[in-house]
Amino acid sequence: MSKPLSLSFDPIARADEHWQQRWGGVPSMAAITSIMRAQQILLAEVDAVVKPYGLTFARYEALVLLTFSKAGELPMSKIGERLMVHPTSVTNTVDRLVRSGLVDKRPNPNDGRGTLASITDKGREVVEAATRDLMGMDFGLGAYDAEECGEIFAMLRPLRVAAGDFEED
């Protein structure tokens, strides 16, 4: 993946300076802009690693979730709930994985209207290989040590709680 030419200044810091001059200091503007840019960087790096496996990060996450389940299968509704995505996104993601031979779908015997998605042996092989590669590049967070990664997780947790992702203990 080729990297764009680096600027000689931090454009987010520059925007923050202009923002302060025009509207006053709003630290949340620089923070959200940094978070959004970091998300773009990380998604591009992670997607580049999983692309040779025919995956996107969203498809990789679905495979990991199925790998973590006891029987290697979950109802589609449970996948959407755990990945925090809309049912249509789950259907698109799982259908792509089915076409790639990484997942199978079948009617849920416990829910007449529901569908179960189950990881295939090929899916297990792919998720193991992709995971090795992602771990090898520290999921794009190699600029941080383990303690700093923990701090990032802890810092973003209240935002996720406030958004209703989960109830705090």
Side-chain angles (χ1 to χ4, degrees):
M1 174 170 75
S2 64
K3 293 188 177 197
L5 294 174
S6 295
L7 296 174
S8 61
F9 63 94
D10 180 345
I12 296 173
R14 178 79 50 88
D16 186 46
E17 291 168 15
H18 290 296
W19 190 282
Q20 287 181 42
Q21 291 168 3
R22 181 152 190 160
W23 292 297
V26 182
S28 56
M29 188 285 297
I32 191 171
T33 307
S34 293
I35 291 168
M36 298 299 234
R37 178 62 185 135
Q39 191 265 351
Q40 291 171 337
I41 292 165
L42 292 171
L43 194 56
E45 289 182 8
V46 169
D47 274 347
V49 169
V50 298
K51 186 176 182 179
Y53 298 102
L55 299 174
T56 60
F57 192 62
R59 284 183 230 148
Y60 170 78
E61 286 182 305
L63 284 178
V64 168
L65 183 60
L66 290 170
T67 301
F68 288 164
S69 67
K70 287 179 187 156
E73 64 183 11
L74 286 170
M76 297 282 283
S77 59
K78 202 53 100 180
I79 294 171
E81 179 183 297
R82 300 267 170 82
L83 296 179
M84 296 173 275
V85 296
H86 191 273
T88 304
S89 296
V90 175
T91 300
N92 291 338
T93 296
V94 171
D95 285 350
R96 288 276 180 105
L97 291 168
V98 168
R99 285 196 294 275
S100 300
L102 306 177
V103 169
D104 286 326
K105 279 176 30 176
R106 66 183 176 90
N108 186 344
N110 300 323
D111 175 2
R113 296 176 299 149
T115 301
L116 286 175
S118 56
I119 190 165
T120 64
D121 289 340
K122 180 181 175 187
R124 288 184 190 281
E125 291 171 17
V126 165
V127 78
E128 289 296 329
T131 298
R132 276 193 302 276
D133 290 352
L134 288 168
M135 289 172 61
M137 54 87 77
D138 286 325
F139 288 88
L141 292 170
Y144 302 100
D145 64 22
E147 185 178 333
E148 290 168 322
C149 285
E151 290 170 7
I152 292 167
F153 176 80
M155 190 175 295
L156 295 175
R157 196 168 198 270
L159 176 73
R160 296 172 46 233
V161 169
D165 279 0
F166 59 98
E167 293 180 19
E168 195 153 27
D169 303 342

